[in-house]
Amino acid sequence: DILNELEVLADEGITSTNNDNIQNVLKLVVAAAENGVETTKNIVATKGRASYLGERSLGHQDPGATSCMLIFRALLEVAMKYD
């Protein structure tokens, strides 16, 4: 779910901010988000609309995790423009 994804990304961002620029931090956060999206494909959905699918949700990425990943990709893209 989206809150779990944000928690993982926040942890990644916090642990990588020591003397690092925002672009490098966002690169790490995006990598963690992409990994998180892939991980959700192996989890049966228990929340939201996808929970209605039960076992059939296996193999499909979580839309909340995907949304977070896309948001952080966009932030990275903007940050890279203003390096």
Side-chain angles (χ1 to χ4, degrees):
D1 96 322
I2 197 165
L3 292 177
N4 291 338
E5 181 72 8
L6 287 173
E7 181 179 10
V8 170
L9 298 179
D11 288 344
E12 182 64 40
I14 289 168
T15 58
S16 63
T17 55
N18 294 338
N19 298 321
D20 215 345
N21 66 33
I22 190 68
Q23 291 90 350
N24 289 338
V25 171
L26 284 171
K27 285 177 187 176
L28 293 170
V29 170
V30 167
E34 290 169 343
N35 184 52
V37 168
E38 287 302 311
T39 300
T40 65
K41 292 179 182 180
N42 302 315
I43 300 170
V44 175
T46 59
K47 304 275 191 279
R49 289 185 177 220
S51 67
Y52 301 138
L53 298 173
E55 293 290 325
R56 293 179 294 154
S57 67
L58 275 175
H60 298 279
Q61 62 195 45
D62 179 75
T66 303
S67 297
C68 284
M69 185 256 311
L70 293 172
I71 290 167
F72 282 101
R73 273 188 187 170
L75 287 171
L76 175 59
E77 186 177 310
V78 170
M80 297 303 284
K81 286 182 182 179
Y82 297 99
D83 185 14

